[in-house]
Amino acid sequence: MNPAYWLDWLALLTRWAHLIVGIAWIGASFYFVWLDNHLDAPTDPALKEKGVAGELWAVHGGGFYNPQKYRLGPPQMPGHLHWFYWEAYSTWATGFAMLVLVYFLDPALNLLDPARAAPAGYAGVAVALGFIFGGWLVYDGLCRSPLAKAGWMFGAVLALLIAQAAFALCWLFSGRGAFILFGAMLGTMMVANVAMAIIPGQRRMVAAIARGETPNPADAQRGKQRSVHNTYFTLPVLLTMISNHYAGITHAALNALALVLLAASGAAIRHWFVLRHRARERGGKTAPWTLIAGLLGITVTALLLQPPRVDGAPVDAARAQSILEARCTGCHAERPRFPGMASAPNGVMFDTPARADTRRAAIAIQVQSGAMPPGNLTGLTDAERAELLRWATVP
């Protein structure tokens, strides 16, 4: 039995499950934000009498739908009530499992970097867990403080704290580790919003209606607040989920600034979509400024991260291949030699000159950014890094 082979299968199935339940959660979240902003005040007196605050007519898949939203709740609780929370819990559980498999089991491989400040080994994992769960505690305390009623000031303080966390993570961990931990921190805030604020409030509202009492409006308001926060966290979290494929960003010298700018850009673009949902209230027009700001933030980030020009004498293929064989093909080979490695990561191999030649551009990005080898486990020297870079880029 080959443990590495079965670990690969476990990682594949966990990632697949994470993608499936994540789509379900985010899709439901986006739909309900859209729905809330498209409800019309009912014209039927009977609906008003029942306490319906808004309704919507829609057509999809050959059928007509008429969802309705009550101000606080229906006069009587229906026999069957659909809840939306297992998608959130399953997304977090599968995401945390991926963190353990890819980053925590062998922290030196993807999470830690000797050039960064986090302690080695599992002490570094403990610091990472502190950010994931400590981030929720700080955020939840802020939401429960008087500042939560201060509108834009609350948003500014929250954005500042999140930006500080991004810089701290990039100072402590490898670029790849910092980006994924930033996403895990925001994702934990999102699912804790569901588990600790939204669902408990909804349960209290349901119980009140079942007793024939009027639900507490504070529960509805708190659930709405946290739901709105979640919709702005979504695009930054999705960015970090795919970031480990782009070493030119995660391992750039300005990676912390890039993380903040890209996260802010995602939130700005999401805000534009939210405004679009409300456009009918303003005659169908939506100012494009938040969309422009988001796209501008992405453009500025791309310009800032451009790698410097490489100069110097060309390096021949034989010399480059000797460096690759000494420092890289332990993993990137048809039969990897690195302990616990069942196959070449992402199928990338350069154990022959022909294979290496087809990967020149990708090798240049990984070598120049310092992302590879992970944690420089194979001891690639600065001189060898410069030689590989010249082989890959200088004609």
Side-chain angles (χ1 to χ4, degrees):
M1 181 176 178
N2 184 348
Y5 173 78
W6 293 109
L7 192 63
D8 268 359
W9 268 102
L10 180 60
L12 169 65
L13 296 176
T14 306
R15 193 183 300 270
W16 192 10
H18 184 53
L19 182 64
I20 292 169
V21 294
I23 289 173
W25 181 23
I26 293 169
S29 172
F30 279 12
Y31 171 72
F32 278 104
V33 170
W34 177 91
L35 180 62
D36 258 354
N37 288 300
H38 282 78
L39 294 173
D40 292 318
T43 56
D44 186 345
L47 292 180
K48 295 180 181 180
E49 182 68 24
K50 289 196 304 180
V52 173
E55 66 171 338
L56 169 78
W57 281 94
V59 60
H60 179 75
F64 291 88
Y65 299 82
N66 180 214
Q68 300 169 351
K69 181 178 180 178
Y70 287 77
R71 292 184 185 89
L72 283 176
Q76 292 183 334
M77 190 54 56
H80 185 67
L81 188 64
H82 291 278
W83 293 78
F84 291 85
Y85 55 86
W86 288 114
E87 301 91 338
Y89 301 164
S90 301
T91 300
W92 188 89
T94 53
F96 191 79
M98 285 302 304
L99 266 180
V100 172
L101 289 171
V102 178
Y103 293 90
F104 292 170
L105 283 182
D106 188 357
L109 190 60
N110 291 313
L111 179 66
L112 304 176
D113 184 337
R116 300 296 179 177
Y122 291 109
V125 174
V127 175
L129 290 171
F131 272 89
I132 292 173
F133 296 107
W136 154 252
L137 293 175
V138 172
Y139 162 75
D140 185 58
L142 192 65
C143 288
R144 295 177 185 275
S145 73
L147 189 64
K149 300 178 181 179
W152 68 267
M153 190 178 297
F154 169 83
V157 171
L158 178 60
L160 179 61
L161 290 173
I162 290 174
Q164 288 177 333
F167 274 88
L169 287 167
C170 290
W171 176 65
L172 288 164
F173 299 98
S174 73
R176 190 180 183 191
F179 271 60
I180 203 68
L181 287 175
F182 181 80
M185 182 185 72
L186 293 185
T188 299
M189 292 178 187
M190 292 174 67
V191 76
N193 275 341
V194 176
M196 308 296 287
I198 296 172
I199 294 300
Q202 289 178 343
R203 291 193 185 281
R204 288 191 293 269
M205 293 174 70
V206 168
I209 294 171
R211 295 192 301 266
E213 300 172 359
T214 301
N216 186 349
D219 285 324
Q221 292 165 2
R222 187 178 301 112
K224 178 69 173 178
Q225 175 204 46
R226 302 300 181 97
S227 181
V228 169
H229 292 176
N230 278 5
T231 200
Y232 288 108
F233 289 155
T234 301
L235 295 191
V237 169
L238 290 174
L239 165 74
T240 63
M241 286 173 63
I242 62 174
S243 65
N244 58 359
H245 297 285
Y246 302 95
I249 298 173
T250 59
H251 286 73
L254 298 175
N255 64 343
L257 179 60
L259 178 55
V260 171
L261 286 175
L262 290 175
S265 298
I269 291 170
R270 180 65 188 136
H271 184 58
W272 181 77
F273 277 101
V274 172
L275 293 178
R276 287 282 296 171
H277 299 335
R278 302 173 184 166
R280 291 183 307 162
E281 299 174 7
R282 297 184 302 276
K285 296 181 179 179
T286 302
W289 303 119
T290 56
L291 175 62
I292 293 172
L295 296 176
L296 184 61
I298 295 171
T299 303
V300 168
T301 306
L303 292 173
L304 286 174
L305 299 190
Q306 287 185 100
R309 177 185 174 88
V310 177
D311 294 314
V315 174
D316 62 46
R319 172 57 183 159
Q321 191 63 33
S322 69
I323 298 173
L324 291 172
E325 288 175 359
R327 309 300 188 189
C328 306
T329 58
C331 297
H332 293 285
E334 192 168 347
R335 292 182 177 83
R337 304 184 304 275
F338 191 85
M341 189 75 67
S343 58
N346 298 321
V348 175
M349 295 178 282
F350 22 83
D351 48 355
T352 68
R355 284 173 172 168
D357 189 65
T358 63
R359 296 283 184 175
R360 282 186 182 226
I363 290 172
I365 292 174
Q366 300 289 343
V367 167
Q368 191 166 33
S369 67
M372 291 291 168
N376 203 19
L377 292 176
T378 61
L380 182 67
T381 68
D382 290 342
E384 290 170 333
R385 199 177 291 276
E387 287 183 278
L388 280 179
L389 193 55
R390 295 204 307 276
W391 160 77
T393 59
V394 177

